[in-house]
């Protein structure tokens, strides 16, 4: 239980940093890209992909024409579309490859990442930088830290980025609700009723 409490504290402290570290211009550019999009495609791999899918669901509740890249019913991307690529490292081959194809078609690419100088960040039209793990540790660093009595983060792998992305994208939904003058009842009307 003690480790779980420590991990929770670490994750919550990380999330509290997000509002201060966000670039307002990046967020506004992201919101404008969404509002102006003919259709929205979301993309991510692994747990980042799950965060992207949750965001797609909320966009659908707001009335957006939204698709998850890789689903069997996802149509071809076209020039007036926006592709939102979620990748902490910005180097995930699946995400970078799909975003690259969409870019060649003429779609606008929005990267949600911790690394703006990554392959994904460099190709994106809009980049939103979210705090996440600053770098991966090496075995040598791990051993040195353990010998010194220091301990590694209790939030492994991409946990901090994924938590940041999930909370940030929910905040984007709240902003869109206000911008589009939507209420919770409007979202409920589009919520699945055959679950």
């Amino acid at each position: 239980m003690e480790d779980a409490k420590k991990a929770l504290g670490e994750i919550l402290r990380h999330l509290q940093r997000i509002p201060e570290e966000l670039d307002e211009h990046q967020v506004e550019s992201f919101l404008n890209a969404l509002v102006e999009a003919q259709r929205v495609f979301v993309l991510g791999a692994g747990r980042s992909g799950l965060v992207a899918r949750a965001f797609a669901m909320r966009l659908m509740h707001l009335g957006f024409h939204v698709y998850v890249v890789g689903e069997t019913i996802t149509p071809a991307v076209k020039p007036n579309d926006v592709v939102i690529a979620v990748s902490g490292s910005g180097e995930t081959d699946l995400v970078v490859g799909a975003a690259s194809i969409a870019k060649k078609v003429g779609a606008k690419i929005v990267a949600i990442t911790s690394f703006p100088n990554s392959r994904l960040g460099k190709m994106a039209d809009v980049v939103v930088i979210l705090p996440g793990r600053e770098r991966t540790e090496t075995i040598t660093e791990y051993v040195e830290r353990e010998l010194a009595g220091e301990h590694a983060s209790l939030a492994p792998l991409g946990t901090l980025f994924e938590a940041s992305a999930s909370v940030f994208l929910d905040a984007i939904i709240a902003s869109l609700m206000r911008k589009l003058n939507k209420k919770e009842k409007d979202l409920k009307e589009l919520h699945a009723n055959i679950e």
Side-chain angles (χ1 to χ4, degrees):
M1 179 66 181
E2 190 61 32
D3 282 344
K5 282 183 173 181
K6 286 181 184 176
L8 183 58
E10 182 176 332
I11 293 166
L12 290 173
R13 283 188 296 279
H14 175 80
L15 292 175
Q16 287 177 322
R17 291 176 26 208
I18 297 172
E20 296 143 20
E21 294 186 18
L22 274 176
D23 180 305
E24 287 182 37
H25 176 70
Q26 292 174 358
V27 175
E28 206 54 46
S29 295
F30 179 29
L31 286 166
N32 290 336
L34 285 168
V35 170
E36 294 166 7
Q38 188 167 350
R39 299 177 305 171
V40 178
F41 292 75
V42 299
L43 167 65
R47 288 168 38 120
S48 292
L50 295 174
V51 170
R53 291 170 71 95
F55 183 57
M57 184 176 79
R58 287 292 184 241
L59 288 174
M60 179 274 296
H61 290 154
L62 281 172
F64 282 81
H65 296 286
V66 59
Y67 301 94
V68 176
V69 173
E71 293 292 318
T72 57
I73 60 165
T74 301
V77 174
K78 295 185 177 174
N80 291 328
D81 296 332
V82 170
V83 175
I84 301 163
V86 183
S87 172
S89 68
E91 296 292 342
T92 308
D93 287 334
L94 175 87
V95 176
V96 172
S100 178
I101 292 167
K103 181 83 173 178
K104 286 177 188 165
V105 170
K108 181 176 272 191
I109 309 299
V110 175
I112 310 294
T113 185
S114 293
F115 295 95
N117 293 321
S118 62
R119 291 184 294 158
L120 178 63
K122 288 178 181 176
M123 87 168 68
D125 300 289
V126 175
V127 178
V128 177
I129 304 168
L130 290 180
R133 191 176 210 174
E134 293 176 10
R135 62 188 176 93
T136 56
E137 64 187 359
T138 66
I139 296 295
T140 305
E141 289 170 330
Y142 173 79
V143 171
E144 288 173 356
R145 197 175 47 251
E146 290 296 314
L147 289 172
E150 300 170 2
H151 300 287
S153 168
L154 292 169
L157 302 172
T159 295
L160 296 178
F161 172 76
E162 293 143 6
S164 296
S166 180
V167 170
F168 167 71
L169 292 171
D170 275 345
I172 289 297
I173 294 299
S175 292
L176 286 169
M177 286 175 70
R178 178 170 264 156
K179 202 179 247 301
L180 301 173
N181 198 28
K182 299 272 187 170
K183 306 286 184 241
E184 190 172 347
K185 66 177 179 57
D186 300 316
L187 277 69
K188 282 184 179 178
E189 286 176 10
L190 292 175
H191 196 283
N193 60 5
I194 57 170
E195 295 181 303

